Amino acid sequence: MASQFLTLIILIILPLANAGQWPPAPGYYPSSRFRSMSFYQGYRNLWGPGHQSVDNNGITIWLDRNSGSGFKSVKPFRSGYFGASIKLQPGYTAGVITAFYLSNNEAHPGYHDEVDIEFLGTTFGKPYTLQTNVYVRGSGDGRIIGREMKFHLWFDPTQNFHHYAILWNPKEIIFFVDDVPIRRYPRKSVATFPLRPMWVYGSIWDASSWATEDGKYKADYRYQPFVGKFTNFKASGCSAYSPARCRPVSASPYRSGGLTGQQTNAMRWVQRQYMVYNYCRDNKRDHSLTPECWR
């Protein structure tokens, strides 16, 4: 009888304990506002054409010892919502980066802007790290000034597709995972915010020198190919060719931008529970180069 009672208690407690591991509902779901597109509606191959496979809706890209692969949006944007559902490679993926990002590096080589979602590969039994980053004309003098915030996820990103997105408008940049905001980067000055048009990119490549535990673990091609799958693309907003009257999109019900209180609570929960690095709290960084950390 006692053992049955103990079993009942465990069955009650375990679901309650596990329930706390998922973020609070954000209450507003920006991905539902924007229409999905197939790959060829918005993108083209950029490099590694022999290392990608396109179906009607999505694309699979892979890295082996010969090459990685990447794709790029057909047009540049000056603001918008950019998302994709992504499924990552399980197992040993150390040194491998799977990325979805905005950039104008080809238009401004050596002096570009960039907004990144990067999945940092890992070793057996350890979780992926999702790195968000913002560059603002940051590499023109050779000192690449990154603004990294890194997170673990509350799910296994290798088991199913999950939706990852960047909202960029003239006031703010917001990063989303399944419509839950995980980071908001507000515009505090022209000098610390990207305003020039950018294209949307996806890629998989070997970053063994830094990707996994600062380069401790390298890509091991005994486990090749390393595969990234993308589908459910969304790219909606003001292109570089849109008329001046084009209204930037918002991540919340407010036309003026920002987040609702419920969205903010969800974001703070994620940052408390799952953020593993914040550049503003890194005492080894020169924060005179990132004034938004102390403003």
Side-chain angles (χ1 to χ4, degrees):
M1 186 70 178
S3 62
Q4 291 177 337
F5 180 74
L6 181 60
T7 300
L8 179 62
I9 293 296
I10 291 173
L11 289 174
I12 293 171
I13 291 176
L14 278 179
L16 292 175
N18 291 335
Q21 298 306 304
W22 285 78
Y28 185 78
Y29 302 88
S31 69
S32 66
R33 297 182 56 211
F34 306 108
R35 182 179 300 174
S36 297
M37 65 175 70
S38 67
F39 177 78
Y40 281 128
Q41 282 180 294
Y43 295 90
R44 297 290 183 271
N45 167 258
L46 180 63
W47 61 285
H51 286 67
Q52 60 181 235
S53 174
V54 179
D55 61 27
N56 185 47
N57 296 312
I59 184 171
T60 299
I61 57 177
W62 60 89
L63 166 72
D64 60 25
R65 65 176 69 252
N66 296 313
S67 179
S69 187
F71 57 88
K72 177 184 177 181
S73 63
V74 174
K75 58 187 176 182
F77 293 84
R78 63 174 189 262
S79 67
Y81 175 93
F82 312 100
S85 294
I86 302 171
K87 185 177 180 182
L88 302 174
Q89 171 93 358
Y92 186 98
T93 55
V96 178
I97 297 287
T98 307
F100 183 73
Y101 60 103
L102 310 177
S103 179
N104 50 32
N105 182 54
E106 292 174 273
H108 305 284
Y111 199 65
H112 73 289
D113 308 298
E114 189 167 310
V115 181
D116 296 327
I117 291 176
E118 297 174 308
F119 300 95
L120 312 185
T122 189
T123 56
F124 291 115
K126 292 187 178 180
Y128 269 89
T129 298
L130 186 157
Q131 175 170 280
T132 65
N133 207 347
V134 178
Y135 293 97
V136 186
R137 298 180 296 279
S139 55
D141 60 359
R143 296 184 304 175
I144 298 177
I145 304 165
R147 293 165 169 83
E148 306 94 337
M149 286 189 181
K150 300 178 183 180
F151 302 81
H152 288 155
L153 294 165
W154 49 95
F155 52 83
D156 182 348
T158 71
Q159 295 301 302
N160 295 292
F161 283 93
H162 291 268
H163 198 71
Y164 306 90
I166 298 166
L167 184 289
W168 169 50
N169 65 36
K171 294 183 178 181
E172 62 194 353
I173 297 166
I174 302 174
F175 299 86
F176 293 90
V177 177
D178 288 338
D179 282 313
V180 176
I182 63 170
R183 176 184 181 183
R184 178 174 180 260
Y185 181 86
R187 174 179 171 178
K188 295 190 174 181
S189 70
V190 172
T192 61
F193 198 84
L195 293 169
R196 298 177 295 180
M198 290 189 278
W199 285 258
V200 192
Y201 293 83
S203 64
I204 190 166
W205 54 290
D206 186 332
S208 290
S209 62
W210 64 271
T212 306
E213 297 187 32
D214 295 324
K216 179 179 179 180
Y217 297 99
K218 315 293 184 183
D220 187 337
Y221 288 101
R222 291 179 297 176
Y223 302 107
Q224 70 176 29
F226 303 103
V227 177
K229 297 182 177 182
F230 295 71
T231 190
N232 191 25
F233 288 101
K234 296 174 185 281
S236 189
C238 299
S239 79
Y241 316 121
S242 298
R245 66 179 180 274
C246 181
R247 182 187 292 273
V249 299
S250 170
S252 74
Y254 311 135
R255 282 192 171 185
S256 58
L259 297 172
T260 67
Q262 193 169 344
Q263 286 177 304
T264 300
N265 288 338
M267 180 177 69
R268 288 174 177 166
W269 187 93
V270 170
Q271 292 182 355
R272 286 195 304 268
Q273 299 291 331
Y274 288 99
M275 186 164 66
V276 295
Y277 177 82
N278 181 346
Y279 73 109
C280 284
R281 298 176 187 168
D282 188 343
N283 294 328
K284 297 177 183 178
R285 298 287 293 270
D286 179 358
H287 291 300
S288 68
L289 302 176
T290 55
E292 70 276 5
C293 289
W294 42 266
R295 284 182 178 173

